[in-house]
Amino acid sequence: MGSPGLLRLRGVVKRFGSFTAVRDIDLDIVEGEFFTIVGPSGSGKSTLIRLLVGMDEVTEGEIWLRDKRIDKTPANLRPTCMVFQSLALFPHMTVGQNIEFPLKLRKEPQDKRRARAEELLDLLRLPRSYYDKRISQCSGGERQRVALARALAFDPEILFFDEPLSALDYRLRKTLEKELKDLHARTGKTFVYITHSLEEAMVMSDRIAIMKEGRFEQIAVADEIYSAPVSRFVAEFMGEVNLFPLSAGADGRIASDALSVRPGMRLSQLTPGSGGLLMVRPEYVRLAGDADGFDFSLKGIVHGEYALGSRIQYEIETVNGMVTVEKLREDRLTATEGQTLVLGFNAENTHFIGEAA
Ligand code: ADP
Ligand code: MG
């Protein structure tokens, strides 16, 4: 993954009047990585990316590209940065003209432009015959590929993406997610990608930053964000999750209003006298007849069963509210609605979030 610190942000702030959209962000993006920023609508993702590409100016802080400070450099003089947006194609031009646009700006000769456009068509797996096709005759997925080809024609050091797939239907999105990941691998470019979709982020990214109210809550590899979130917000944002308030007495013994705890159980992160949330993902909760062999258990009544393709999800009513349990289809419960069961899980499959419950 090359040399570190291709793009560095230090104390970046963006205010609109009295409203602060981006709050004191420090970030190092590594050369060649696929870095994704995930967050709910309004969390400041687009604002941040606009600062990075120079479409907007920082209120405070510094942005560095390698050893050059670029936060005062206008967008058109940041040739290394480029935003890819699906709607930014020229609809009346051909696919070839669109892809060659950046090369034309650079006054490259026609034959070189065409050769590069054809290379990019190949790279994006579009037939070369598309060179003369009008954008208006292309499907949504094809337009997306053309836009990508054009972005690559700029030969930027970093490609920025602001929710490029959000308007597409599910199947096409899934296909393009994989293609983007593949394209990233084949080009070796640095990708900075924004989405509000956890799934999209998980499929493609090397690292993920979770953004909330203008700040990064957590930056980590996808697995870590999923299995070791730092806060309730991150845990809940990254898919279905069950959270149980826990505390430890002065003697270190775990106490919980909701869970039966195996006698003598200790959690290393739960220091005596402190409290927090015990997290367990739905796929780690077992359903059983009794609590034997589990570190943590509680009783529940099956409330609903939902088929999710290869998996089945159960909503189970407990004293801790609804608990979500997931099973593979082949392990589908014979028991269903209204039946009382024991839900059990083990400490090794949990994660402790040390914050006030
Ligand atoms: P996201 O892309 O995560 O959905 P945005 O970065 O677009 O969020 O917006 C973050 C916040 O900043 C929102 O509350 C939005 O209303 C506000 N905002 C964005 N651009 C402007 C602007 N030009 N003027 C005033 N407020 C803005
Ligand atoms: Mg946005």
Side-chain angles (χ1 to χ4, degrees), residues 42 45-47 162-163 194:
K45 306 181 298 295
S46 294
T47 302
D162 191 352
E163 310 212 20
I194 287 183

